[in-house]
Amino acid sequence: MIAPARQNARRRAYLNAEIVAPAQGLAGRGGILIEDGWILDVGPKVTKDSFGSSAQVTDCRGLTLIPGLIDMRVFTGEPGAEYRETLASASEAAAAGGVTTMIVMPNTRPVIDDAAIVDFILRRARDTASVRVAPMAAITKGLNGELITEIGLLKEAGAVAITDGARAVANANVFRRALTYARDFDLPVVQHVEEPTLASGVMNAGEAASRLGLSGNPAMAEVIMLERDLRLVEMTGARYHAAQISSGQAVEVMRAAKARGLPVTCGVSIHHLVLNENDIGAYRTFFKLSPPLRAEEDRRALVEAVSDGAIDVIVSGHDPHSADTKRLPFAEAAYGAIGLETMLSAALGLHHNDGVPMARLVETMSSKPAEILRLETGRLAPGAPADFTLLDRHLSWTVEKEGLRSRAKNSPFERRTLEGRAVETVVAGESVFAYARG
């Protein structure tokens, strides 16, 4: 994983913040002391009297300090489709959303299926990105689902996991072999859980689809692929992560797999936690996602699963598209929505409105992704990288496309007012974003 080239060698202290870092058992008033890109000390004992006068002090009264967020599902256009998004523009959106590490998907041109392309991504990120960037490499060459990539070489080059991104590996034998090789290299396999021949519709199958006259994508397409994959995990013992689940049925499948002791985890996009199929309204293509937005009862089941730990990770599912591919009839429009800049704010809505504990939200977007991908970030502890986010939980702001830093503007939250946002993002000890309040 690449760290931004710029580092701040000055000693700095952030004091009087409300610290939320559940992996380190931190909850309450305290501060953090950093130097040369690393954390020297953190917690209630960090006060103005606990260090020398050489440190630059920031008073964080009224703010919450959390580990920098790790977004496990970010699509960009670089290389090959930079008009959609570059690593630089995506990193600006990430910093504005409190995200300090982006995990980028291999769905680029060329595909990230070779060690040389992994190296290109890391070097390009080092030169242009303001946050950390780590790539997932492809499971199969060209994402064609047939020929497995050189998994060991990809890991050696810096890939943190393997996935075919927005595509499922449908061939069971190919996926079994990929799981076996990934197990030997201790690399997680990340799957898009939709059986492709069944998931042929453009929105959730049900009454809403019938009313709009659109083809339906049943939740069973997700469940069938997930159950198949879990049987293959039983055969191989590989570490497996379902990238995004979207239905209550899939939640129950994951609960059962975890109860059996399988080495499995799963994620959910913030869009599926706060939106449902009815938000599509009058064929609004910014709400066309893969997997699709489900019924309200599915959304509630997902929120409950986040609260109780059945779902491990929240992702943005950031997938930028131009107006040419989004402002089309719903059935013809591209799948996907941007989310880097709004993930944290929308997640805070789950805390305000649905009662999801703040500590649990922080865990799903920082320490748990770091644990799954074996990253050194995502924690607030002495000796850890100084990556953290300061947020104002009650600062209201309206999402306007002119203010979004992503090159693409396909946000389902456009013109929506959100409560809470990042006000400063620090990566490797350097402030990479500061929100001008007032």
Side-chain angles (χ1 to χ4, degrees):
M1 181 173 63
I2 285 291
R6 303 177 301 277
Q7 289 199 358
N8 190 341
R10 292 174 300 167
R11 178 173 288 198
R12 301 175 66 187
Y14 292 76
L15 305 180
N16 302 316
E18 184 75 16
I19 300 178
V20 181
Q24 287 71 53
L26 295 174
R29 183 65 58 86
I32 187 169
L33 182 64
I34 64 175
E35 185 177 42
D36 198 25
W38 302 91
I39 297 174
L40 296 181
D41 202 0
V42 62
K45 60 184 178 296
V46 179
T47 64
K48 199 165 186 177
D49 298 328
S50 65
F51 52 86
S53 59
S54 59
Q56 176 184 334
V57 174
T58 299
D59 189 348
C60 304
R61 200 176 306 274
L63 301 178
T64 302
L65 191 152
I66 63 174
L69 306 185
I70 300 170
D71 191 345
M72 278 185 65
R73 193 169 179 83
V74 176
F75 293 86
T76 72
E78 189 172 12
E82 286 82 359
Y83 68 92
R84 289 175 55 194
E85 192 83 282
T86 64
L87 293 172
S89 62
S91 73
E92 289 181 15
V99 175
T100 57
T101 300
M102 300 189 307
I103 310 300
V104 297
M105 297 296 102
N107 305 66
T108 52
R109 298 196 299 264
V111 172
I112 306 175
D113 60 3
D114 184 89
I117 305 172
V118 173
D119 182 64
F120 167 81
I121 294 292
L122 293 175
R123 287 187 291 107
R124 185 68 174 161
R126 178 193 61 207
D127 294 339
T128 67
S130 57
V131 303
R132 301 179 194 267
V133 176
M136 289 189 186
I139 298 173
T140 62
K141 296 292 288 185
L143 306 176
N144 61 18
E146 298 175 4
L147 184 64
I148 296 172
T149 55
E150 295 285 352
I151 295 172
L153 294 178
L154 292 168
K155 179 180 180 181
E156 186 178 336
V160 295
I162 56 171
T163 181
D164 273 3
R167 302 183 184 182
V169 180
N171 186 305
N173 197 39
V174 169
F175 197 62
R176 178 188 62 83
R177 293 202 305 270
L179 287 168
T180 301
Y181 286 120
R183 176 201 64 201
D184 293 342
F185 290 106
D186 191 28
L187 205 62
V189 179
V190 179
Q191 174 81 307
H192 177 74
V193 283
E194 283 191 305
E195 203 291 315
T197 61
L198 193 56
S200 57
V202 297
M203 69 171 291
N204 182 48
E207 180 183 340
S210 299
R211 188 171 60 250
L212 293 172
L214 296 172
S215 56
N217 178 337
M220 197 53 63
E222 177 174 276
V223 173
I224 288 172
M225 180 61 77
L226 184 58
E227 289 185 328
R228 184 211 72 170
D229 287 355
L230 295 174
R231 294 299 181 184
L232 295 176
V233 170
E234 284 185 307
M235 290 177 61
T236 62
R239 290 196 289 137
Y240 172 89
H241 180 77
Q244 295 180 118
I245 63 173
S246 63
S247 66
Q249 292 170 291
V251 167
E252 295 312 310
V253 171
M254 286 302 304
R255 289 189 199 277
K258 290 182 175 185
R260 298 202 307 272
L262 295 182
V264 297
T265 53
C266 64
V268 63
S269 90
I270 188 60
H271 302 128
H272 291 87
L273 288 170
V274 300
L275 305 169
N276 65 35
E277 61 185 352
N278 295 318
D279 287 297
I280 291 171
Y283 307 96
R284 300 169 68 190
T285 60
F286 286 5
F287 295 82
K288 184 180 179 181
L289 306 175
S290 177
L293 295 172
R294 302 289 183 190
E296 174 61 14
E297 53 264 35
D298 289 303
R299 188 199 70 83
R300 289 198 301 266
L302 295 173
V303 172
E304 181 182 348
V306 167
S307 292
D308 65 25
I311 291 177
D312 302 274
V313 173
I314 296 174
V315 300
S316 74
H318 183 82
D319 195 357
H321 289 282
S322 66
D324 291 345
T325 57
K326 270 297 188 181
R327 298 196 182 278
L328 294 170
F330 194 91
E332 301 171 21
Y335 293 93
I338 61 172
L340 274 166
E341 198 164 345
T342 51
M343 176 176 69
L344 174 58
S345 297
L348 288 171
L350 298 174
H351 174 64
H352 296 314
N353 303 322
D354 295 280
V356 180
M358 187 68 193
R360 181 67 192 129
L361 290 175
V362 171
E363 183 181 15
T364 63
M365 295 185 287
S366 59
S367 56
K368 193 61 180 184
E371 177 187 326
I372 292 169
L373 299 175
R374 307 281 170 83
L375 304 178
E376 61 180 355
T377 54
R379 59 197 179 99
L380 296 181
D387 291 11
F388 56 90
T389 299
L390 283 167
L391 61 99
D392 185 333
R393 299 195 204 184
H394 302 289
L395 176 63
S396 294
W397 64 291
T398 301
V399 180
E400 301 286 358
K401 67 178 182 179
E402 295 81 10
L404 293 172
R405 289 153 179 82
S406 172
R407 283 194 172 184
K409 307 301 178 184
N410 55 309
S411 171
F413 298 114
E414 184 180 358
R415 294 189 294 274
R416 182 174 293 198
T417 298
L418 303 176
E419 185 178 1
R421 71 163 302 154
V423 296
E424 185 171 358
T425 304
V426 176
V427 180
E430 180 180 354
S431 179
V432 296
F433 170 79
Y435 180 71
R437 291 183 288 171

